[in-house]
Amino acid sequence: MKPTPKPGILDISPYVGGRAHAPGVRRVFKLSSNESALGPSPAAVAAFQEAASGLDIYPEGSAKHLRDAIGEFYGLNPDRIVCGNGSDELLTMLANAYLRVGDEVLFSEHAFLVYKIATLANSAVPVVVKEPKLRVDVDAMLAAVTPKTRLVYLANPNNPTGSYLSVEDVRRLHAGLRSDILLIIDAAYAEYVKRNDYEAGIELVSQFDNVVMTRTFSKIFGLAGLRVGWAFCPAAVADVLNRVRGPFNVSVPGQRAAAAALHDREHNDKSAAHNEKWKTWLTENIRALGLRVDDSVCNFVLIHFRDAAEAKAADEFTTARGIILRPVGAYGLHDCLRLTVGGEEANRETLAALADFVKTRK
Ligand SMILES: Cc1ncc(COP(=O)(O)O)c(C=O)c1O
């Protein structure tokens, strides 16, 4: 006899993050984890440093300072906001709180990997819905609903495809779900989206009892290392999450820096503008090399190669030049590499490396 984990846990492939090092290369551009090209606001760094003087004191457990800041910034009731150690923690906490053994969880074929991990960790059943055009198919999602469906995860926009659903499509998806199914809209990249027909999910959460939206400070706010995310929830869901979350799940430096980051509009606008400019530049110039690049509303693009072997060769080629992209085979996209928009130099070096790689093609 030996200790045995719950059913499902040994079916989990552990999450592998983006690489940060290239063997033998001193100068590296890490474009593998969708981190911010411009980093955090100086105000956030100052708030983080200031918090260093009080590290012996526990945080205020409900992250009130940060919830108030988020509430004020987005015009939301802070009582319906729950903060987490990254939005990953909230996505997982929702699964922990709502899933029973054998429940079904819907998400799309190339969706963020955490959904499957959270599902299996709760002995529930992942139901993976095909994405014919690397975009969530609402009809197929609705057709996959069964009496056992308990949760639906929707990354909007999605990583690693960079595609999104319009507000109409999200509403159509929601309208087709029973009221006891919780729709979780993961809007980690919402701040980057520049489309008139996109909404992160605030309206839907305000209107319905079975929709939650998660957000993060890891992307446009440049605080991935601090681990801060938040969820806007119906009151009953916030109540549930507050019962199950760790008592002090967001650190004092995390709460302080995130609140400061939110208010530095100038820096946030600069990050968004930088992203828009260089994402367009990368997309157009990589396409001009003859490689397929999908339209993306996020801070990364998906580059297609002829097959998995060529994607691997391209990854090795760029890595040898200190440019670290992200292989996305774990997302079922074996022929692709994901490239995060970097600073100007990183972007130019990446294009040059891809151009040289393309010349080696037969
Ligand atoms: C779609 C999506 N959701 C959530 C996250 C998690 O972000 P964090 O836990 O840093 O808030 C990521 C990070 O890459 C992501 O791509």
Side-chain angles (χ1 to χ4, degrees), residues 86-88 91 112 115 155 157 159 186 188-189 216 218-219 227-229:
S87 54
D88 280 348
L91 295 164
F112 186 46
Y115 312 154
N159 166 25
D186 169 358
Y189 299 91
T216 184
S218 302
K219 304 301 174 185
R227 315 302 304 126
V228 189

Side-chain angles (χ1 to χ4, degrees), residues 192 194-195 271-281 297:
Y192 288 112
K194 303 270 178 256
R195 292 287 197 280
S271 284
H274 173 94
N275 188 62
E276 211 44 34
K277 172 180 166 186
W278 288 101
K279 180 178 56 190
T280 308
W281 186 88
V297 295

